């Protein structure tokens, strides 16, 4: 089994920063793309950023500049540094990874359970 667990969420004031982390554990062979998504204001889950195994990054055009994605392959971790947070950033943030699982011997997509980020004005 593979599990993804997010950490680092919480409540902040507008203009402050937060750093989210997502740790993958379990029967992991290798990890391809890692990504962050969020659900805000009752909207559908939206893409924030992705980073490939070659460290190529891609951001949502609406969020580029305030959010920075990173990865640590040795620790099977993806991070999201969020700066100048706004009240409209309030929501649940999810990590996603494409993982080669040793048990099933195939690629599969895994999601974290989500972590709350609250930004007050």
């Amino acid at each position: 089994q593979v599990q993804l667990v997010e950490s680092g969420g919480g409540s902040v004031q507008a203009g402050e920063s937060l750093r989210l982390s997502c740790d993958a554990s379990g029967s992991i062979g290798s990890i391809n793309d890692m990504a962050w998504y969020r659900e805000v204001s009752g909207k559908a889950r939206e893409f924030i950023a992705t980073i490939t195994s070659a460290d190529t990054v891609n951001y949502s055009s609406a969020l580029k500049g305030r959010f920075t994605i990173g990865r640590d392959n040795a620790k099977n971790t993806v991070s999201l540094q969020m700066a100048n947070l706004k009240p409209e950033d309030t929501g649940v943030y999810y990590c996603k990874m494409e993982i080669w699982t040793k048990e099933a011997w195939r690629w599969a997509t895994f999601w974290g359970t989500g972590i709350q980020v609250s930004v007050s004005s």
Side-chain angles (χ1 to χ4, degrees), residues 6-12 17-22 82 115-117:
E6 297 99 340
S7 62
S11 298
V12 297
S17 299
L18 272 178
R19 181 182 176 89
L20 303 181
S21 291
C22 173
M82 304 184 291
I115 192 164
Q116 178 70 41
V117 171

Side-chain angles (χ1 to χ4, degrees), residues 10-91:
S11 298
V12 297
Q13 297 285 326
E16 293 183 341
S17 299
L18 272 178
R19 181 182 176 89
L20 303 181
S21 291
C22 173
D23 298 325
S25 62
S27 183
I28 297 171
S30 63
I31 304 177
N32 195 2
D33 292 356
M34 298 179 174
W36 286 96
Y37 288 73
R38 69 181 188 179
E39 292 179 5
V40 299
S41 302
K43 297 179 182 178
R45 192 170 298 188
E46 66 172 334
F47 168 78
I48 299 174
T50 189
I51 183 168
T52 70
S53 57
D55 287 336
T56 299
V57 298
N58 184 39
Y59 292 96
S60 161
S61 58
L63 300 173
K64 188 175 183 178
R66 294 195 298 123
F67 290 10
T68 304
I69 191 171
R71 66 187 286 164
D72 185 333
N73 293 322
K75 297 180 179 179
N76 292 333
T77 297
V78 62
S79 63
L80 185 68
Q81 180 69 43
M82 304 184 291
N84 189 26
L85 284 163
K86 304 175 181 180
E88 52 264 41
D89 294 319
T90 295

